[in-house]
Amino acid sequence: MARQTILTAANNYESFDRWLKDNHIRTLLLVCDDSIQFLKINDYFDTLQSRTGVRVVKFDRFRPNPLYESVEDGVSVFKANGCEAIAAIGGGSAIDVAKCVKLYCNMDSGRNYLEQTVVPNDVPLLAMPTTAGTGSEATRYAVIYYNGVKQSVTHESCIPSAVMFDAGALQTLPPYQKKSTMLDALCHALESFWSVNSTDESKGYSRKAIELILASQEAYLSGDAAACEDMLHAANLAGKAINITQTTAGHAMCYKLTSLFGIAHGHAAALCDRTLFPWMLRHTDKCIDTRGEDYLCRTFGEIAAVFKCDTPEEASRKFRDLVDSMELSVPVASESDYEILRNSVNPTRLKNHPIALDLETINQLYREILGENK
């Protein structure tokens, strides 16, 4: 992954002014969600043209879980206004839309973009995440929906070349959103650490992310500005880790929990990994990582060290206690729900998981995740 330029909000976004100047930007496409109206940076964009001459074209015609048609609309707006760069301000959906607009802005608008080969372009893309969790600003992945079907768009060239951290954007988030997004970042780092695709580089990112989250989580949840910035860095590092390794079974199993029970993504991922971590420690003999069971056990030892624990089992308990301290609800499932959950898991994601899982095991794990079989 190419090195990202990291900007800060200091001195009324002075580094953003400099980024625009260095890239010779005269017209900027601003992809944002409704949260921008509550942020300090909204005033920055309102005065940008009068201060610098840079025209801002705002695009907010998309929804959470954005549609392919919204991306088409965004590409049209980008082209019609002669935009030269894109800034995404918001959560994962805003950043995903901006990534796709960048990917498709030099492609044939008369054909389905999803069916075309991506031709990389040099359109500058900056992202400012308004939550510390998804790490979308650091990954090559974007998700949009075409005819009701989830489409995973993947290309290295959609990774933002610049990221801006604004701690003030996190300080007024609702407590539940702060908790769930923080747990999402922690699960990204943890799953990347034990993924079959892990590397020394990805483990380095995971290690730093976990250390930052553990050190700053209490202050972050209380609204401390420095801790908010640390959490933004942690989520970014965890995003860089999963950009290399992808996520594993915890994420594969959490998506249907989110849609079926209406809980946040990070909430669902934490419930899954809370159960998976100790289960994995009991079943290392089913290791499918080509580096072998001994390697996997050493990796669990590395994770324990990051959690400042003597054993992996102690680390799994520390992780469980952290999740439990968030006081998140555990959904109540019916038998029909368990069937839906069991059949929802994406087998591709399971290939990244270091221990073999079959349908019966997945069913048992879901029952434990949701409070049964304990």
Side-chain angles (χ1 to χ4, degrees), residues 88-91 95 127-135 137 163-166 169-170 232:
I89 313 293
I95 296 173
M128 189 190 102
T130 54
T131 64
T134 70
E137 76 282 356
V163 175
M164 187 162 67
F165 294 146
D166 183 358
L170 305 186
L232 285 165

Side-chain angles (χ1 to χ4, degrees), residues 320-360:
R320 177 200 63 199
D321 291 345
L322 188 155
V323 174
D324 289 350
S325 73
M326 299 296 108
E327 299 182 331
L328 303 176
S329 62
V330 178
V332 177
S334 66
E335 280 302 317
S336 60
D337 290 332
Y338 284 119
E339 183 177 357
I340 292 169
L341 289 166
R342 183 178 66 246
N343 294 326
S344 71
V345 178
N346 182 349
T348 301
R349 285 274 171 82
L350 297 183
K351 293 177 182 177
N352 304 325
H353 198 71
I355 295 177
L357 288 162
D358 55 31
L359 282 178
E360 181 54 35

Side-chain angles (χ1 to χ4, degrees), residues 171-193:
Q171 290 176 292
T172 58
L173 288 174
Y176 176 66
Q177 192 171 10
K178 292 179 82 169
K179 292 175 182 179
S180 59
T181 52
M182 178 187 74
L183 290 172
D184 190 22
L186 182 55
C187 290
H188 283 161
L190 192 58
E191 290 184 35
S192 178
F193 216 125

Side-chain angles (χ1 to χ4, degrees), residues 96-117:
D96 282 356
V97 169
K99 286 178 173 180
C100 290
V101 170
K102 172 182 165 56
L103 282 181
Y104 301 151
C105 67
N106 65 334
M107 292 166 60
D108 183 356
S109 60
R111 297 168 51 210
N112 188 321
Y113 294 126
L114 295 168
E115 297 174 356
Q116 297 182 50
T117 300

Side-chain angles (χ1 to χ4, degrees), residues 237-313:
L237 289 165
K240 288 178 177 177
I242 62 167
N243 186 56
I244 295 171
T245 66
Q246 300 180 285
T247 51
T248 61
H251 270 68
M253 295 177 68
C254 84
Y255 290 107
K256 187 54 71 172
L257 287 176
T258 297
S259 61
L260 196 59
F261 298 111
I263 61 176
H265 172 71
H267 177 173
L271 291 180
C272 291
D273 282 335
R274 178 188 181 280
T275 295
L276 275 163
F277 194 171
W279 177 87
M280 292 168 68
L281 296 177
R282 297 192 302 270
H283 295 88
T284 58
D285 59 308
K286 297 180 180 178
C287 175
I288 58 173
D289 191 320
T290 57
R291 293 169 289 193
E293 182 181 1
D294 287 346
Y295 171 85
L296 179 59
C297 290
R298 289 196 300 272
T299 295
F300 285 135
E302 293 175 55
I303 292 172
V306 179
F307 274 83
K308 297 183 178 178
C309 294
D310 293 330
T311 66
E313 289 76 15

